[in-house]
Structures are given as C-alpha cells and as structure tokens.
Amino acid sequence: MISIVVVSHSLKLAVGILELAAQMTHGKIKLVCAAGVDDPENPIGTDSVAILEAIESVYSEDGVLVFVDIGSAILSTDMALELLDAEKVKNVHVTAAPIVEGTISASVAAAAGLSLNEVIDESHLALPSKQKQVAEKNREESVVLDFKTTEIIPNRNTVSVTTEVKNPHGIHARPASAIVSAVASFDAVITLKNGNNEVNAKSINSIALLGAKKGDRVVCSASGNEAAAAIKAFELLASNNFNEDIGQSKEPLINDDGNGYLNRGWGGESKNIDGCIKGVPASKGIAIAPISLFQTTMPKPSHRKSLGIEFERTTFLKAKEKAIEGLKLLAAKTVKEGATNQAEIFNAHIQMLDDPFLDNQISDLLNSDIDIETAWEIVVTRTAKAYADSSSDYMQERANDILDIGKRIMLLLLDIDEVKIEYSTPIILVADDLTPSDTAQLDPSFVKGLILAKGGHTSHSAILARSLGIPAIVGVNGTKSLVNGDIVIMDGITGSIMLNPAKEDIDGYRIQIEADESEKRQAIQLAKQAASTIDEQSIDIYANVATLKDVDDALSGGAEGIGLLRSEFLFMDRSEMPSEESQFEFYSEVASAFNGQPVIIRTLDIGGDKPLSYLQQTEEDNPFLGSRGIRLCLNNKMVFETQLKALLRATAKNSNIEIMFPMIATFEELKEAKSLLNDCHRDLVAKEVASKIPKVGIMIELPSAVVIADQLAKEADFFSIGTNDLTQYVMAADRGNEAVSYLVSGAQPAVLKMISMTAEAARKASIRVGICGELAGDDRFTETFVGLGIDELSMSPIRIAEVKQTIRKLSKKDATNKAQQILELNSLSEVIKVL
Ligand code: PEP
Ligand code: MG
C-alpha cells in the first residue's frame, strides 16, 4: 500500500494534517511527517536527514507520495532524495499538490488501494474540487475546472441502487472517504448521481462535488465484472449511514476484539472538541477523579567500563533468570485473579527474553568491550524500534512489550527497585503508555480509570485493564493537555474524556456511576441465589477453576458447581508428573468443597500453548493443530490412566464428580477414551480399590465435533462448549494472535451457528449442554445463549454475580426470538448491534 510523507516547516501543521488524514483512513496507511527542526528556540524549518528517515520508515515498493509545503521544504526533500538509495527513489514521488487537501485526498485514495498514479491524480484533483465547491457558494466567482471526472458511459448492464442521505451534514468528507474505501477495489465503473450531477464514486474529490445534502436521493450505479458486488457493498454502507453515527445509535461500525470489547480502530474517533477529548474505548465503565500523570521509562545506564566478557555475561544471565522468576510469579498472580488468558502476556515475555536473537546481539556487543547495561540498552532500543517501524499494528504494539522486558532487566542490572504504582486516593492514571507489568500492578480500588496516549484495543495494557475491570481509553491525542490534579470524567464505553467538567456534568455522571454500583452491589448480594428468567427458566451458573484458591472464589462468588476444572494446572510448573495419590487428593478436596453440587473435571488438556517439561513432546510446526488434549492423552496412556484412576477413586468418594474429555474430534476418540476409563475401573475393582464411573461428557471445541454432535451425543452424558477453541478453529484464527483478533469473536455468525447446532443436537438427544469458554461470562451474550437453550454457563468466578443478574431480567420467550433473529444475521457488526 502507498505511504504518505508530509514535509513541512511546522511540526504542528504537519501533525494536524496527519491527524486528519489518519482519521479519514482509520490507520489503514502509513502516514509520517518530517517537520520542524530540533531547536526549541527556533523550531520552524526542515531537515533533509529527517525527511530521508521519514521516507525510509514508510518505504515500500508500492510507492511513497511526498507532500511539501514551501521553499526550503522542496529543497530539503530534493537533498533527501539524493541521499536515498537510487532503486528506492524510483518509487518515491514528490507531488506539487496542495499539502492539506492533497494529503487528505491522496490518503483516502491510498487507503482504498488505488495505484500510485491514481493516488497522484486524486491529490491533484483536490484543489480544483474545492475551488468548484467554494465557487458554487459564492456565485460571483467562477472557476474553470481543468479536470474530468469519470467518463460515464451508459451501459445496458448497469446495476443501480438509490439511497436517501440521512447524515445531518450530507455526504461530506468522511462519508465520501468511506464510499471510496468500500467500492474502490471492485472491477467496475461506479458512479454516484445526485440530481443531474454524476461523478466517479472512486474519487473522494469527485464525490465532494456531488453536494449531496441530508434528504437528497443519491443513485449509485455500477457496470462491469463486479458491478453487483460493488452495489451490494455500497448498499450496506449506505444502510449504515456511511459509517457515521447520526445520533440514532451510539454504536459505530465496529469490530469485536474477541475479548468482548468493541473496536473503532486506531485513532478512528480521536478528536478534541470543546473541553472534551476522545480516544479509543478500551475497557468499559465511567470514572470521575483527579488526574495523576505517570511516566515509565527504562532507566539509563551509567556507561561504565566493561569488567570483562565473562563478568558481564554472568551478570546478564543472573538478571535474566531473576526476571523470568518475576514474570512467572506475575503470570501466576494473573491466573489467580481469574485472567488465565491474560497471564499468557507474561509467558510471552518469558519467551521473548529467552529468544536467542537477543542473546546473540548481547554477545556481539559484549565482545566489543561494552558493559552489559549499555549493551542491553542498545539491544532493547534497536529491537523496539524495529517493532515500532513494522507495518503491522500488532507488531507495532509489541514494541511496548520489548520495552517492558527491557526495563525489567535494566532495573535488575542497575539494582534499582521498581517504581511501584501505588496510590492511596482515587485517581485516573494518565500515561503515554503503560507496560503490561505496570498495568498488572494497578489497584482498581484507587486507580479508577486509565487514559493512554498510545496503544490500540489489542495492546496488552488494554487487555489487562479489561481483566482488572478498570475503565480505559487508549490512543488518546491530547493527553499532553491534561494536568496533574485536574478533575476529568471518562467514559470507557464512548471513549470520551471531559476536562474540568461543570458541576452538573459531574452530578449527572455520578448518578450513572451510583446506579451502576448499586446494580453491582445488588448483583453481589444475590450472587448465591439461583438465577432464573422472569418466565422461570433456570440456568445453572458454574465456575471455571484451576486451583484451590479459585475454588474458594467460586464458592464465595455464588457458583452452583464447577463447570470446568482445568486439571492441567496441577501438572504444570513442576518437574515431574503428579502421582495418582496426589491427584486423587486434589480432586477429592475440590469435590467435597462443593458438597454434592456438580464438579466437572476436565482431563489433561496439554499441548498447543501448554507444554509440560517432563513429557516428551516432539516439536510440531503447528502445535495447535497437533498432539494436544485427548490426542496427547491417548498417545501417553500411562499419564492418562494415572489420571483416570485418580478420578475413578475420587468419584467413589464424591459422587458429584463428572469428567470431561477435551478436544474430541472424532467418535472413535470418545469411544477409546471411555474404553480406557472402563479398563481402569476394572483394574481398580480387581485390586479392591473403591472406584466409581462418573458421568462422562465432552468438550465441543472443534468444528468436527459440532458436525457430528448427534453421533457424539449417543456416547456422551453432556456437552460443554469450549468457545475459546471453537472460535479459533471455526474461524481458522489463532486465539492468541491479535492481528486476527477481529475474527476471534464469539459474535461471528459462524461461531453462533456452531453453538446453536450443538445445542440442537443436545436437545434432540436429551443431554445437558453448557458453555465453559470465556463467552459464557460475557453478559452481552447471555440472552442469546438462554435463547439457544443452553442449560449451564460456566465462567470465571468474578463474572458470576453480573451474569446471574442479567438472567433475572430476561424472558426465555424473548430470548428465543432474539436468538433466532441473531442466527439470521450476516455479519459481525450486525450481530454486535443486536446483541
Ligand atoms: C475453551 O477452549 O473454550 C476452553 C474452555 O478450554 P481452554 O480455554 O482451557 O482451552
Ligand atoms: Mg479449549
């Protein structure tokens, strides 16, 4: 995709232009500026080295378009091109188009995927287009346009659609940009007609000439190979008011990040208006509190003399070992707080630290007689820059992870205590960015909200803020205008931040907060009571647990049973397999704590992202598609049988135990696992050891299991849908890869259909069906699940009170209708709107 560079004498001017262009293109293209000079006294000027760096930072063979303001900006750009590799120069074009209008038009055209020449044409059309529009208003001026809009050739195979413009300001720049993005890639000639005026729908400048106002009826016509598809895309966009919030609904056109939060895209809504700043909403909730500005950086080394390669290397290895220990503790703490998936962030940091890529670079630097702190600073800065310069948003956000581990090691190397983020009064924390370790330290009883200048909805700080329940807004332009101690109101749903609000605003929002809190209090008070809909359909609410501490949380949080005991946690973080006896004791202890209420213990679900150090596992190219879950157990019979025997013995003691096999893909796997269970039972009986066969269910987390659910139901006592894995396998999108997180969403129609098919198969076979993936605790889905006939929802203990309260307000009848309506929807955004 084509990138844009803005060269200006003024940094403020260039940043403003880029902000506008980024807003129109939703961060789809790379936009950078080289503007001003690094002299606080006299910041106006241009610098050819900075221009060269800017071009290189966004360079691709698709092309780079450079906009310049005046005079020496042109000269400096010429010099920069002289310094640039000759091969690259061929793909860099300096345009004479006007810097503001041209940059905006070109950015929209580039984001729509047009070629370099087309983008250049669009940038040149910007000024005449504006002249025409202004001239139309001031009739005495007359401007002769020296460009042609699309040549419109009447065609018998033309497809058309008419739409009434509902947008209050008509089809202005933003809707126009949405139209170009929606239709530009279709192989068709597409036009828009308003009255007698007909223009090219792939040109933002031409659309601006339409002058379409609210209430106008605009005809979109297309001819060519993909005419029908283009019209469909236009129709969809028009039905969504060209992606503009026109005041009827608060929801923009959105993606779901798979963690139950809505994504408007980077900077998509970032704007400053009348004492109100907007950013990307990242964690829901309202907060009113004074601001506390926070800065986190990697400490600077003293650049001392090297004390010898051996010494420096040992110092590094010791620091690394200590850092890994710290990260393991942090991961364990995060798991205990109920955020199992989020703990993966810290496990990923361990992997990053262990990466030979960092090690090799350190060794090279130490060999050049550099001390370890300086070497570490160089390696971290270099690696973080490489990530930050990447074209992928996902990779860019990983720069912060590198800086996080960079800081962690540097503190150890310099023997400095970590600056604790501790508060004793309520505040809203404002920072440029927070590392995951910083975020994990936040205490929600004092940190009422989080505002970050950087980060997207998939950044780890955003994910952690959600898991801590702290309202958060990220990607906020304008945090620099926030002052320590100033009161702000932030709304984590709309992404708006109100600066120094009036008393009546504070009062209004306080009422809202109190209502939310009183609702929460009421939910907590009722948490231990069963939850039924108003028409008396009861839904069992169980907990997902891994440790005995979780079991306590589940009991105090109101769980009516355990829907998923992830037994693999007993097997992890140890050097040898737990014995049959220790497993028996653990399962018995959990089951007796639940005193007759169901305790569903899932057999070992290892493999994929959960390796065991003491189990021989061959390296696999695609571990998530390899030997994991039941496959691994059936190939490691000794491990599996030990667990099955412990479970059979525990069931003899506690008849509330049920077992569940993970990752079942075929009927044969289920039969084989059950037959092993029977063999183990026979073995124990022969040895006169008390043993009882529990109910046997399976997890439905693979598409194949959904498809043969009717057959599996003949052998299973119950189903439990693992929406985490089901989503990743249905959508073929790694659940840990944020680059595809928009696919990893329970609101994807394909996922909801799979859940519905499973529920239907269970209903026909008269067996129970539950959900134990993360989605079970997401109250946006509760009504749909009730409507689909799910009998039981199993979730992190902290979600129980809220989900029960949601159930109490539903009617099964309405829920059934709603579920049916949702199943007919075609797209993620439609589902999210209806949920
Ligand atoms: C699931 O896949 O939804 C599930 C509950 O299992 P896990 O997250 O442990 O893989
Ligand atoms: Mg799973």
Side-chain angles (χ1 to χ4, degrees), residues 341 564 566 568 602 605 610 628 699 701 721-726 735 772-774:
N341 289 345
L564 168 65
R566 289 183 161 103
E568 56 275 13
R602 176 173 77 183
D605 186 11
K610 303 176 217 158
R628 60 169 294 204
M699 291 203 61
E701 47 188 347
I721 306 175
T723 48
N724 308 339
D725 277 315
L726 183 61
R735 69 196 237 193
C772 64
E774 291 285 298

Side-chain angles (χ1 to χ4, degrees), residues 24-264:
M24 305 280 280
T25 52
H26 301 281
K28 276 195 202 140
I29 60 162
K30 288 192 223 163
L31 296 157
V32 288
C33 65
V37 284
D38 198 9
D39 175 359
E41 296 293 300
N42 192 10
I44 300 294
T46 54
D47 170 353
S48 44
V49 175
I51 300 170
L52 174 71
E53 281 174 0
I55 294 173
E56 281 191 318
S57 73
V58 295
Y59 177 83
S60 83
E61 282 179 8
D62 290 343
V64 178
L65 191 54
V66 185
F67 289 85
V68 287
D69 60 12
I70 44 171
S72 65
I74 304 166
L75 219 65
S76 304
T77 306
D78 285 345
M79 275 169 66
L81 291 182
E82 273 168 33
L83 298 171
L84 187 69
D85 188 300
E87 268 309 299
K88 290 186 177 172
V89 172
K90 289 183 200 152
N91 298 319
V92 178
H93 182 93
V94 183
T95 172
I99 191 163
V100 180
E101 296 83 351
T103 305
I104 309 297
S105 301
S107 303
V108 172
L114 300 187
S115 68
L116 184 58
N117 281 339
E118 288 169 313
V119 172
I120 294 168
D121 284 351
E122 270 297 300
S123 70
H124 286 290
L125 288 181
L127 193 56
S129 160
K130 178 171 152 188
Q131 286 169 331
K132 168 121 190 282
Q133 290 173 68
V134 176
E136 276 173 354
K137 281 197 189 139
N138 313 321
R139 285 177 186 277
E140 63 278 13
E141 287 179 49
S142 87
V143 176
V144 179
L145 290 182
D146 60 352
F147 69 93
K148 260 197 317 186
T149 55
T150 314
E151 219 177 308
I152 298 150
I153 309 150
N155 183 324
R156 277 197 305 124
N157 297 324
T158 298
V159 204
S160 301
V161 64
T162 304
T163 184
E164 184 182 320
V165 179
K166 299 201 182 79
N167 306 48
H169 305 292
I171 302 186
H172 61 95
R174 225 172 320 169
S177 131
I179 295 173
V180 176
S181 307
V183 304
S185 60
F186 290 104
D187 176 17
V189 173
I190 310 165
T191 65
L192 282 181
K193 191 169 180 191
N194 186 26
N196 293 329
N197 211 357
E198 187 163 15
V199 299
N200 179 2
K202 293 186 182 178
S203 156
I204 186 169
N205 296 301
S206 308
I207 299 175
L209 293 176
L210 262 190
K213 298 183 295 301
K214 184 177 175 195
D216 285 353
R217 291 176 68 76
V218 172
V219 183
C220 178
S221 305
S223 57
N225 288 338
E226 294 180 337
I231 289 294
K232 211 145 185 60
F234 176 83
E235 217 176 347
L236 188 69
L237 185 68
S239 70
N240 199 33
N241 301 311
F242 306 102
N243 291 355
E244 214 178 27
D245 181 355
I246 62 166
Q248 287 167 355
S249 147
K250 279 199 163 177
E251 302 296 359
L253 189 71
I254 31 184
N255 287 329
D256 187 285
D257 72 351
N259 289 297
Y261 214 76
L262 307 179
N263 158 33
R264 294 167 200 230

Side-chain angles (χ1 to χ4, degrees), residues 297-303 373-374 377 381 410 414 416:
T297 43
M298 186 165 76
K300 288 263 163 228
S302 59
H303 303 297
E373 296 89 45
T374 308
E377 184 189 43
T381 315
M410 191 64 96
L414 296 172
I416 304 175

